[in-house]
Amino acid sequence: MDARAIIATLRRGEQPSAGDLSWFAAGLANGEVSDAQAGAFAMAVCLQGLDQPGRRALTLAMRDSGDVLTWDLPGPVLDKHSTGGVGDSVSLLLAPALAECGAYVPMISGRGLGHTGGTLDKLEAIPGLSTQVSENRLRRITAEVGCAIVGATGRIAPADKRLYAIRDVTGTVESLDLITASILSKKLAVSLQALVLDVKIGSGAFMKTPEEARALARSLVDTANAAGCKTTALITDMNQPIAASLGNALEVIEVMQALTCGCDTPLSEITAALGGEVLMDGGLVAKAEQGEALIRAALLDGRAATRFGRMVAAQGGPKDFAENWARYLPVAPVIHEVKAPKSGYVAAMNGEALGLVVVQLGGGRLVETDAVDPAVGLSDLVRLGQHVEKGEILARVHAARETAALGAEVAVLHALTLTAKVPEVPPLIHERIS
């Protein structure tokens, strides 16, 4: 086969065969396809698009460009993927809760980039914990603990790793076909029996409109199901952070409070909804509502906290983290209160701007090589619809330096809108796509 012929087929608006796409993905992985050809391919897909069979074929070809894991476990292998947002720590709650319900969860996650936080960065705020483990160790932790949250090895979907870097520099990141293949190739390489997708919409998400979120959810669900992995998506709100904290250690604190205080929060509500869907699709319950109740129970009675502590210890963190987490998490040296300049209702939040505040404080990265300070960020952030009096706290800034804290205060005030009128607050869950 010839990369030029495949690119020419796409350029004419025709669909390449499954064999063509399989050869191209293998060429991405082994170097037979050049960077120039990879960029031309990405641009052709971006401009002309793939049909549903082509999207499935590309996804499976990228999956098969590296290792595909197999399992011999006494329960279903389940997972969740989020399209990214701010204050989104759902994975840290969901993985241990699913394990408590009889599932096995080898969750391959990513790092933060741009305004969104990364699950791996949050976990690595825990001293000693490693998210880079071998395939054998991933298998062992999953079998013994029931869940693991790790980064992808270089042997998982290497074609995607190569094409992702090319897309970033060729202006083709927004292609729905390439987004779908990128997300699902890594998830399907873990040989899941069911997957739930958390597709974010709103000011803190990559998808800002219902149409964009629905199109992505539909593409992911249809492609994953066509590839043999039972999949459902929930479109969830990101017009405000899910949690009241943004930043790696601060989000872990909120996770541990949710796991140990026995109280309902927006974070636990979305976790339960996503868990109910994937428990049903994985065959552990007959209805999503039953699965949701099981997840809530595991969160409220402390079992998920104990399971999370076992996972932390298995990945190299403190053995008593679930009991003594406050002793281990780093604390920023400077903490400033952001106070309301007037009384009113919190009517709007610019989630992307709030995420970038954390990045500017050093808690995220704009390029992949940026170092991350796990202690910095925002906490005690107000909620949409909340009434505040003048001088009341809108958020707390956690910073490494006084000057950084002062700049963050100004940015937070610009990201929040206070009005005299009671605003309409969007629901946490907008839509279900199956």
Side-chain angles (χ1 to χ4, degrees), residues 87 241 243-254 257 331-332 334-339 349 354 357-358 361 375-383 386 393-399 408 412 416:
S245 299
L246 285 71
N248 298 309
L250 294 168
E251 291 186 49
V252 175
I253 289 172
E254 190 148 349
Q257 289 171 339
V331 176
V334 179
I335 301 176
H336 275 207
E337 295 175 346
V338 182
K339 296 184 177 179
M349 292 187 185
L354 290 170
V357 169
V358 178
L361 286 167
V376 302
L378 304 174
S379 71
D380 304 293
L381 189 66
V382 289
R383 304 290 298 172
Q386 182 177 335
I393 295 171
L394 298 173
R396 286 185 171 88
V397 173
H398 300 246
V412 170
L416 303 179

Side-chain angles (χ1 to χ4, degrees), residues 224-238:
N225 278 295
C229 178
K230 196 161 187 182
T231 300
T232 300
L234 296 182
I235 298 178
T236 67
D237 193 68
M238 190 45 71

Side-chain angles (χ1 to χ4, degrees), residues 12 14 44 54-55 60 62 82 103 122 140 169 192 196 213 215 223 286 302 306 317 327 338-339 341 350 398 414 434:
R12 291 194 300 268
E14 300 169 7
R55 199 177 287 170
L60 292 178
M62 288 168 63
S82 170
K122 294 167 194 177
R140 188 168 63 253
V169 297
L192 305 174
V196 67
T223 303
T306 300
R327 287 174 40 195
V338 182
K339 296 184 177 179
N350 185 331
H398 300 246
H414 281 135
S434 64

Side-chain angles (χ1 to χ4, degrees), residues 54-64 180-181 184-185 188 223:
R55 199 177 287 170
R56 173 184 176 275
L58 179 61
T59 300
L60 292 178
M62 288 168 63
R63 177 199 68 180
D64 294 339
T180 298
L184 293 180
S185 60
L188 296 177
T223 303

Side-chain angles (χ1 to χ4, degrees), residues 14 27 38 53 56 77 80 87 116 193 199 203 219 241 245 267 283 302 305 311 314 319-320 345 362 380 400 424:
E14 300 169 7
R56 173 184 176 275
V77 178
K80 159 258 181 191
T116 64
Q193 284 152 271
V199 178
S203 66
S219 174
S245 299
L267 189 60
M311 184 190 78
K319 296 190 185 317
D320 61 342
Y345 293 92
D380 304 293
E424 185 176 339

Side-chain angles (χ1 to χ4, degrees), residues 25 35 46 71 92 113 145 157 172 215 217 220 228 232 258 272 277 315 325 431:
D35 282 354
C46 192
W71 303 94
L92 305 190
L113 194 60
V145 179
T172 54
L220 288 165
T232 300
E277 295 290 344
Q315 292 186 219
W325 52 269
E431 195 172 341

